[in-house]
Amino acid sequence: MSRAPARRRGPLHLVVAAAATCALTVTSVAPQAAAEAGRPYTETYRPQFHFSPAKNWMNDPNGLVWFKGEYHLFYQYNPSGNTWGNMSWGHAVSRDLVHWRELPLAIPHDDKEMVFSGSAVVDRDNTTGFGTKDDPAMVAVYTSHFKDGSRQAQSLAYSTDRGRTWTKYAGNPVLDIGSKDFRDPKVQWYAPTRSWLMTVSLSAEHKVRFYSSKNLKTWTQLSDFGPRNAVGGVWECPDLFPLPVDGDPRRVKWVLVVNINPGGIAGGSAAQYFVGDFDGKRFTADDDGSYTPPPGAVAQDFEGADYGTWRTTGTAFGDGPVPAPEPGTSGTSGVEGRGFADSFHGGDAETGTLTSPPFTVDSAYLNFKVAGGRHPHVPGSVTGDSPAPPGKVLAGFEQGGYGSWTTTGTAFGDGPAAGTLPGQNPVTGQDGDGLVNSFLGGDAATGTLTSPEFALTAKYVNFLIGGGRHPSGTDTPTAVRLVVDGRTVRSATGSDSEELNWASWDVGDLVGRTAHIEVVDQNTGGWGHILLDQVMQSDTPARPRSTETAVNLLIDGEVVRSETGTDSGSLDWASFDLRAYQGKQATIQIVDMNKSGWGHILADRFVAADRPAIPGVRRASWVDHGKDYYAAVSWENAPDGKRRMIGWMNNWQYGNDIPTSPWRSAQSIPREMALRTVNGRLRLTQQPVSTVESLYTGTAVGVRDVKIAEGSTPLAGGRADGRALDIRATFSPGDARRFGLTVRTGEGQKTVIGYDTETEELYVDRTRSGAVDFHDDFPGVQRAPLTARNGKVELRVLVDWSSVEVFGGAGETVITDQIFPSPDNDGIRLFAEGGSARLDRAEVRQVRSYRD
């Protein structure tokens, strides 16, 4: 299930990152037009052939089972709102895995517990006594997340009417080990021992545990698996199932899927998998997880009593390295040797640097281990204090009232706040005594604060900003807007921090225009407030103060390479490519300028080497390389014996912020899974279920033998354009460096689905896919290895109104990403870069809504 617990986190309102600013001239699309409110399932971003609930929040798929002609899809659901909370089990059914019917709420939360993720089985032998052998009960095995925060435990609910109504078992919980991080049971019938098998996650320990039971009520512990491979976040939603290798039923391997958050291959949430054997008690992976990094010259291993020639500033790093903890005694792991650098001296509030002496770059790579907070280096930021550049102050908020600024609502009160408000964590970083602070009365208060009109006379508008990260383009913003002629032309939001930091708008193109500033707080949830101070015009942009926790490589005093942690205490290998800096003088600097949750950095064993070290996240096997495929689990009891899987099509980095309403989140297309030998290695492959073809409408658009010159051209002269498509295409690379398709193209927007011949990677670029500015972690490029077969690159692409799912080759590589383009942008184009390629053949089918 759900959200990662934090190691060494401070209070909620102390998480710090750089302020997010954006230009909004053409980027954001409003979450939904008011005219659409009465037209369900036709909203701008509503998926047409992926399941989404009519309204409210949804995340992990749960309870996947086939029974009496129906595939059941339960899911984590908030019956009361459009963001995470009040976790209960929603319910939908299908006879073919593409036509879904949403049913009433299945298992609701109550005063004592939220109903977290789990599974469902058909108790055909009536082992529980909940039904009969002639009329077996469906039994849900779910995690009770007790609202008092004491623990998570496994519980039962049962249904005797095909899952329409449910009764919680009076003897709950049935498995309780007193842990706060014990969740997401996947239960199945294990025929060799005629018993139930539970696969469940010890989330914070990066372990999966196996239990056995004869009646689903009394459980016996069998074994543990892990930690192994990617451990940058908590382990959640495990699944275990057998598959024949290359279709041979005489050769069967087991697949263990472990979802991780954060620490995925593309950042944030993801699903990794292991291939191995299961003997009824223990899972043994074929890959033992061992790794030996490339040899080289050790520059620093932190094995001494002090830092030697490395020098410190501030107090974060203390007088010397920290002793490695005993295994399992803390949240720190992966230390090489006896000691490591850790800036948690005294807590997250401490800051400082640890810097190597200068050295001459004479190796190709610098390898090292890193962990700690995820606070990247921001180019242009200042280590230490950052004074305001000279300019004209528009508002310093030092007076008793707001002067000619006007308010609505209750959030901003009658005048500026004198710092921290009651119930708020300490506010820092303001200039002077007063500031705008919409925490008046708590996060539930809303309102606006609007300046009088003023002339833009300088190239930049600088200001200090803090508070919640809810961008202007979302439906519940906490944002500062620059408005010209009634239109928002620039905006900024906080970064879930009570520390104000400098931000700047480049308004050079608007000089001479009249504008006003609008401060908006429409958010009533966590971090539902905004901080603002020292608004000024200047010919120089303000430089933000550094809030990084990072390992940096400096050449001539400038940061040229940087690596941060993943909000994890598990040290893992990282590498700086030094080949462009041979012969230059360099220094290594470990920086902690963050005072909030995860405001620390861990580092160990710097080695100059000829080859890069490979981090565990890249050594792991991934079900999907995209940003938006998580909590992947498979159906039990399918009548044809095939294994089909589905995942939550979202990411915890920005899941609550995607610009959809009145629902939030969809599930992926169900996928048929297989184990195949690819390049000498067993790979989990997947293809969309064949029944998606029942949604085809119209005739196929097919093309053959098209040369793709450098540049781009419409596919099939525009006859294949559309918003919901199934595309199959085979390419010959030619001499192009990159080639492929762009979809949902138009008005400066496009989603790029390409192949890089130099790196042999499939990629999806959604940096210009439409609304991308609602969260800093959303825009980006996702990559996955894909080897051309017989000189050909085969792609299958499912395009829906707010997603792309790209299957490469025989399904050995998959990238799933959400996109939020303008509804009129429906073009498909072919492109090639650095040469020409050839489209051997393509077929495009329009896909209708499963609700039609």
Side-chain angles (χ1 to χ4, degrees):
M1 141 79 219
S2 62
R3 313 182 75 171
R7 168 186 176 269
R8 297 175 171 174
R9 283 193 188 275
L12 176 63
H13 285 163
L14 288 179
V15 181
V16 180
T21 62
C22 51
L24 291 184
T25 53
V26 294
T27 52
S28 284
V29 177
Q32 301 300 334
E36 295 176 329
R39 298 168 54 203
Y41 306 117
T42 62
E43 301 94 343
T44 300
Y45 301 131
R46 173 70 74 171
Q48 298 301 289
F49 59 95
H50 294 79
F51 176 76
S52 60
K55 63 178 182 178
N56 295 350
W57 169 269
M58 173 182 69
N59 55 285
D60 307 356
N62 298 155
L64 306 184
V65 68
W66 184 88
F67 184 47
K68 292 187 176 181
E70 293 178 322
Y71 289 94
H72 291 263
L73 168 63
F74 300 91
Y75 46 88
Q76 292 286 277
Y77 185 67
N78 182 356
S80 304
N82 201 17
T83 55
W84 186 92
N86 307 307
M87 284 293 95
S88 307
W89 275 27
H91 191 193
V93 293
S94 173
R95 293 190 177 276
D96 62 0
L97 291 172
V98 293
H99 291 85
W100 292 100
R101 179 162 61 99
E102 186 175 354
L103 297 178
L105 187 69
I107 310 176
H109 72 103
D110 58 31
D111 292 342
K112 294 183 179 179
E113 68 175 16
M114 286 196 281
V115 182
F116 273 18
S117 293
S119 51
V121 298
V122 178
D123 188 12
R124 298 194 181 280
D125 292 337
N126 197 30
T127 64
T128 59
F130 294 152
T132 67
K133 285 193 174 183
D134 293 332
D135 189 13
M138 290 177 65
V139 182
V141 189
Y142 67 89
T143 295
S144 292
H145 177 83
F146 292 98
K147 291 184 175 179
D148 63 5
S150 62
R151 67 199 193 283
Q152 295 176 344
Q154 315 321 315
S155 295
L156 305 180
Y158 61 92
S159 171
T160 56
D161 59 358
R162 296 167 41 244
R164 269 55 180 181
T165 60
W166 291 83
T167 301
K168 291 182 179 180
Y169 174 48
N172 283 339
V174 297
L175 181 57
D176 185 354
I177 63 172
S179 171
K180 295 182 179 181
D181 295 293
F182 179 51
R183 55 183 177 266
D184 310 338
K186 174 62 185 286
V187 174
Q188 59 196 289
W189 181 252
Y190 187 68
T193 58
R194 295 197 58 77
S195 59
W196 298 104
L197 172 67
M198 178 192 291
T199 307
V200 65
S201 177
L202 300 172
S203 298
E205 298 177 45
H206 307 118
K207 290 182 179 180
V208 168
R209 179 167 289 174
F210 302 101
Y211 288 89
S212 180
S213 175
K214 293 296 185 181
N215 59 9
L216 294 175
K217 299 174 182 177
T218 303
W219 293 91
T220 300
Q221 182 177 335
L222 298 175
S223 65
D224 291 351
F225 173 82
R228 186 74 61 85
N229 289 0
V231 293
V234 293
W235 280 17
E236 296 183 323
C237 301
D239 194 5
L240 179 72
F241 51 85
L243 285 175
V245 175
D246 297 323
D248 184 355
R250 297 166 300 179
R251 187 185 174 204
V252 173
K253 284 284 188 178
W254 287 75
V255 178
L256 176 62
V257 174
V258 180
N259 292 270
I260 183 173
N261 172 55
I265 183 64
S269 317
Q272 65 176 320
Y273 70 92
F274 305 86
V275 177
D277 298 304
F278 183 72
D279 63 4
K281 293 184 177 180
R282 184 176 302 276
F283 176 80
T284 304
D286 291 347
D287 179 357
D288 66 6
S290 61
Y291 176 68
T292 302
V298 176
Q300 174 63 279
D301 57 9
F302 300 110
E303 295 298 284
D306 56 30
Y307 290 121
T309 57
W310 289 46
R311 56 184 175 82
T312 63
T313 65
T315 58
F317 293 93
D319 297 325
V322 173
E326 292 295 324
T329 60
S330 76
T332 299
S333 62
V335 177
E336 298 284 324
R338 300 186 305 273
F340 66 106
D342 186 348
S343 70
F344 195 67
H345 283 77
D348 277 332
E350 304 296 322
T351 62
T353 64
L354 174 60
T355 306
S356 76
F359 63 95
T360 301
V361 176
D362 59 2
S363 64
Y365 295 93
L366 179 68
N367 300 328
F368 56 94
K369 299 192 93 171
V370 64
R374 182 176 177 263
H375 306 291
H377 171 75
V378 176
S381 60
V382 177
T383 301
D385 191 28
S386 178
K392 178 183 178 181
V393 176
L394 298 175
F397 303 109
E398 296 300 310
Q399 65 270 26
Y402 287 123
S404 55
W405 291 53
T406 59
T407 64
T408 65
T410 60
F412 296 95
D414 298 326
T420 306
L421 292 172
Q424 188 175 24
N425 284 311
V427 173
T428 61
Q430 68 266 37
D431 189 298
D433 297 326
L435 77 156
V436 173
N437 185 347
S438 72
F439 194 74
L440 186 64
D443 277 331
T446 61
T448 65
L449 173 65
T450 305
S451 78
E453 296 282 332
F454 63 92
L456 291 166
T457 59
K459 184 173 173 57
Y460 297 95
V461 175
N462 300 324
F463 49 94
L464 288 164
I465 188 171
R469 180 163 61 181
H470 307 287
S472 179
T474 60
D475 48 355
T476 56
T478 53
V480 181
R481 297 167 173 165
L482 183 70
V483 181
V484 175
D485 295 333
R487 181 166 168 259
T488 298
V489 294
R490 303 287 188 273
S491 76
T493 187
S495 55
D496 291 349
S497 168
E498 305 291 26
E499 181 179 7
L500 288 90
N501 205 348
W502 285 107
S504 292
W505 288 324
D506 185 340
V507 294
D509 59 322
L510 299 172
V511 170
R513 304 283 294 275
T514 298
H516 70 264
I517 290 171
E518 188 175 71
V519 191
V520 182
D521 176 357
Q522 296 298 332
N523 197 292
T524 60
W527 284 109
H529 62 279
I530 186 77
L531 312 175
L532 180 70
D533 197 14
Q534 203 68 9
V535 182
M536 60 186 301
Q537 296 196 69
S538 175
D539 290 325
T540 305
R543 298 180 66 184
R545 292 185 296 269
S546 169
T547 57
E548 68 196 273
T549 52
V551 177
N552 297 328
L553 180 75
L554 285 76
I555 303 286
D556 297 329
E558 297 293 326
V559 175
V560 296
R561 295 283 188 270
S562 184
E563 189 74 41
T564 188
T566 60
D567 289 352
S568 168
S570 300
L571 286 118
D572 199 1
W573 287 104
S575 187
F576 289 154
D577 187 340
L578 306 180
R579 290 174 293 179
Y581 307 109
Q582 295 298 299
K584 292 184 176 292
Q585 288 287 293
T587 55
I588 302 163
Q589 189 171 68
I590 309 173
V591 182
D592 176 359
M593 288 293 129
N594 200 290
K595 300 178 181 180
S596 282
W598 284 110
H600 59 277
I601 185 78
L602 319 177
D604 197 9
R605 197 167 180 81
F606 288 83
V607 179
D610 293 331
R611 292 179 291 115
I614 302 173
V617 70
R618 287 180 50 206
R619 301 195 303 272
S621 297
W622 297 96
V623 181
D624 193 297
H625 285 72
K627 290 283 283 190
D628 295 308
Y629 190 78
Y630 189 61
V633 289
S634 63
W635 270 273
E636 293 296 326
N637 205 37
D640 57 5
K642 293 183 178 179
R643 183 64 54 170
R644 298 178 179 91
M645 179 172 280
I646 196 170
W648 178 52
M649 206 156 54
N650 209 337
N651 192 306
W652 281 116
Q653 287 182 330
Y654 45 73
N656 282 286
D657 300 317
I658 61 172
T660 64
S661 177
W663 85 103
R664 188 168 270 122
S665 293
Q667 304 292 352
S668 75
I669 201 73
R671 302 168 182 182
E672 186 170 321
M673 315 303 288
L675 264 183
R676 304 195 184 279
T677 305
V678 179
N679 298 328
R681 176 186 167 202
L682 283 183
R683 298 280 295 275
L684 187 64
T685 66
Q686 50 200 307
Q687 290 290 350
V689 291
S690 60
T691 46
V692 72
E693 296 175 8
S694 67
L695 299 176
Y696 288 169
T697 182
T699 58
V701 175
V703 295
R704 287 182 174 271
D705 198 25
V706 177
K707 181 180 179 180
I708 312 171
E710 185 161 4
S712 71
T713 185
L715 175 63
R719 293 181 292 113
D721 294 354
R723 292 191 290 168
L725 305 168
D726 188 345
I727 306 168
R728 305 177 198 230
T730 301
F731 295 88
S732 294
D735 60 357
R737 289 197 303 271
R738 289 174 292 276
F739 62 86
L741 301 159
T742 61
V743 299
R744 300 302 308 270
T745 301
E747 298 177 355
Q749 298 179 6
K750 62 181 178 180
T751 298
V752 182
I753 300 162
Y755 185 77
D756 189 320
T757 60
E758 296 178 340
T759 61
E760 294 188 304
E761 289 178 316
L762 177 69
Y763 66 93
V764 174
D765 180 346
R766 65 177 182 187
T767 56
R768 290 174 287 173
S769 65
V772 300
D773 54 7
F774 56 85
H775 196 281
D776 294 347
D777 289 317
F778 186 82
V781 181
Q782 282 63 253
R783 294 178 171 271
L786 180 64
T787 302
R789 292 190 303 168
N790 301 317
K792 307 292 184 183
V793 174
E794 297 181 8
L795 301 180
R796 185 174 181 186
V797 183
L798 298 183
V799 182
D800 207 341
W801 284 14
S802 57
S803 65
V804 291
E805 291 168 283
V806 185
F807 300 81
E812 67 266 28
T813 296
V814 186
I815 297 176
T816 299
D817 277 349
Q818 294 181 95
I819 56 173
F820 300 103
S822 299
D824 293 337
N825 295 344
D826 62 359
I828 309 178
R829 300 180 70 87
L830 301 168
F831 78 92
E833 299 175 5
S836 64
R838 183 168 296 278
L839 176 66
D840 297 324
R841 58 185 177 274
E843 180 181 276
V844 182
R845 299 299 301 253
Q846 302 285 331
V847 184
R848 62 180 171 83
S849 170
Y850 68 77
R851 303 176 184 89
D852 291 345

